[in-house]
Amino acid sequence: LRPHGRRMSFPFHKSLRCAARGLFSCLWRERNLRIHTVAAGYVLFFSAFFDLSRAGRAVLLLTIGLVMAAELFNTALERLCDFVSPGYEKRIGLVKDIAAGGVLCCALAAVGVGECLFWQPERFGEILSWFVAVPVRLVLFVCSLAAAACYIVLPCRRDRKKRGD
């Protein structure tokens, strides 16, 4: 600590490294964040089929960032609660539930944004035609779904085996 109780700040590159470590740790351990990243990837992919304005793209990116940040804050709060109170405590459980409710609110708002930006049923046929026109695209899409499912599920299983669950 510096005089007057101020903390010394890290160099910028060290701050980035710490933030990246936290993000990747959460991606590895938290299934819900992996679900959000997969959903964001598909949303960004399919957004190319729609004529979004710059503002629409900005809203989409902000919405994705909001959901991801909410999940990261929720995870941080859960870890802190587990550290402070390792056993079951009703009040700590309520704090965790409230934080999870915050993530749910962000996710529901993201669905609303998606509906506003993408609900154009006439475009769905065009998108399907794009996949069917070149069958390799459809095969690659199905393979991406399988890879996404593995990405979501497998790290959790590996973590459970380490802990003995």
Side-chain angles (χ1 to χ4, degrees):
L1 290 177
R2 288 185 179 177
H4 309 294
R6 290 188 191 165
R7 293 185 61 178
M8 295 173 51
S9 61
F10 286 117
F12 184 67
H13 72 281
K14 286 187 178 180
S15 296
L16 284 178
R17 188 171 50 217
C18 290
R21 183 174 55 230
L23 176 62
F24 287 112
S25 171
C26 198
L27 279 169
W28 182 252
R29 292 187 176 110
E30 296 298 321
R31 183 191 65 228
N32 288 345
L33 185 61
R34 291 192 301 275
I35 291 169
H36 292 308
T37 59
V38 166
Y42 283 115
V43 164
L44 290 172
F45 173 79
F46 283 106
S47 70
F49 290 97
F50 296 86
D51 299 322
L52 296 180
S53 66
R54 287 177 60 91
R57 289 192 305 268
V59 167
L60 185 61
L61 292 173
L62 281 170
T63 302
I64 289 169
L66 176 68
V67 172
M68 299 289 190
E71 190 64 54
L72 288 164
F73 289 136
N74 178 51
T75 299
L77 185 62
E78 285 183 354
R79 296 281 166 81
L80 181 61
C81 287
D82 290 344
F83 178 76
V84 170
S85 180
Y88 177 75
E89 168 62 45
K90 189 174 184 177
R91 291 176 296 179
I92 292 291
L94 181 59
V95 168
K96 289 179 168 185
D97 290 348
I98 292 168
V103 176
L104 179 61
C105 285
C106 290
L108 291 174
V111 169
V113 167
E115 188 272 332
C116 290
L117 292 175
F118 300 124
W119 188 251
Q120 300 172 23
E122 65 278 2
R123 301 297 298 242
F124 298 155
E126 294 173 29
I127 295 169
L128 184 59
S129 298
W130 184 82
F131 280 107
V132 174
V134 181
V136 170
R137 291 177 186 155
L138 189 56
V139 170
L140 289 173
F141 179 69
V142 170
C143 289
S144 79
L145 291 173
C150 290
Y151 166 70
I152 290 169
V153 174
L154 289 181
C156 285
R157 288 190 177 173
R158 212 178 285 165
D159 249 7
R160 276 191 220 123
K161 286 180 183 176
K162 264 192 220 176
R163 291 186 315 230
D165 292 347

